[in-house]
Amino acid sequence: DELGAALDAGMARMRDERARDADIQRFHEALVDDAPAAILVIDPEGRITPINKSARRLFPVSEGVRASDYAPFGADLAAYLADRDPSRRRLVQLMLPTGPQRAMARSAAVQRLGGLTRVVVIQPIQDALNAVEVAAQSDLIRVLTHEIMNSMTPVTSLARTAAELM
């Protein structure tokens, strides 16, 4: 009886641990799947698999494709995916149906199932760059307006004085 109770308690703990591990796994999968950046995995044979929703939306291609299959999305991207140096980070030009867009591409090497797998993250940054550009243009307009007004103040003052004297 004592051995049976200990065995039952051990099995219950093991079930609880497996349930907790499965819950953690589901959380991590949801976290990766809902990440705003596109995540691609390149296996040791060079096959590329889109991992999350952002990647599948950004690159609607089938699994197990090569870097050259990403050429329609931009030569920069295809070259980056073909490059075997996992530590590189680069600004790439994407050719999307909505038009060209700049993106930051980063990658890292991960040991998986006895082979070196590359994880590539593609983060479109065109909207952020556009916002910075608009802010810079607004600042430039503000500074130029200020400088023009500073230059015009003495002219208008002298013109008023000259009109009063005449």
Side-chain angles (χ1 to χ4, degrees), residues 54-124:
S54 294
R56 291 186 292 273
R57 236 186 340 262
L58 197 58
F59 309 114
V61 294
S62 62
E63 288 187 21
V65 294
R66 303 270 175 209
S68 59
D69 295 330
Y70 281 80
F73 300 106
D76 284 353
L77 177 66
Y80 184 79
L81 294 174
D83 189 357
R84 294 290 182 185
D85 184 4
S87 62
R88 293 191 47 206
R89 180 168 95 169
R90 188 181 345 160
L91 188 66
V92 295
Q93 183 81 11
L94 299 178
M95 303 308 287
L96 302 174
T98 58
Q101 182 158 151
R102 286 177 277 187
M104 181 59 67
R106 287 171 258 172
S107 65
V110 178
Q111 279 296 103
R112 181 177 177 227
L113 302 174
L116 196 62
T117 299
R118 234 173 102 205
V119 178
V120 178
V121 176
I122 309 290
Q123 177 68 48

Side-chain angles (χ1 to χ4, degrees), residues 109-156:
V110 178
Q111 279 296 103
R112 181 177 177 227
L113 302 174
L116 196 62
T117 299
R118 234 173 102 205
V119 178
V120 178
V121 176
I122 309 290
Q123 177 68 48
I125 58 172
Q126 190 66 49
D127 292 338
L129 292 174
N130 289 345
V132 169
E133 186 177 335
V134 167
Q137 289 174 353
S138 295
D139 287 346
L140 178 63
I141 290 170
R142 187 173 36 78
V143 168
L144 288 175
T145 301
H146 177 73
E147 292 302 323
I148 290 170
M149 293 308 289
N150 280 347
S151 299
M152 292 304 293
T153 300
V155 172
T156 56

Side-chain angles (χ1 to χ4, degrees), residues 6-83:
L7 195 56
D8 286 343
M11 289 174 58
R13 272 196 313 274
M14 192 164 71
R15 270 194 305 273
D16 291 345
E17 286 179 19
R18 281 190 179 169
R20 185 178 49 84
D21 289 346
D23 195 36
I24 291 170
Q25 171 103 13
R26 281 190 298 276
F27 172 74
H28 288 149
E29 287 173 358
L31 192 65
V32 167
D33 203 38
D34 290 332
I39 302 172
L40 304 171
V41 171
I42 305 173
D43 68 15
E45 287 80 38
R47 290 185 302 261
I48 301 170
T49 305
I51 294 298
N52 63 354
K53 291 176 194 172
S54 294
R56 291 186 292 273
R57 236 186 340 262
L58 197 58
F59 309 114
V61 294
S62 62
E63 288 187 21
V65 294
R66 303 270 175 209
S68 59
D69 295 330
Y70 281 80
F73 300 106
D76 284 353
L77 177 66
Y80 184 79
L81 294 174
D83 189 357

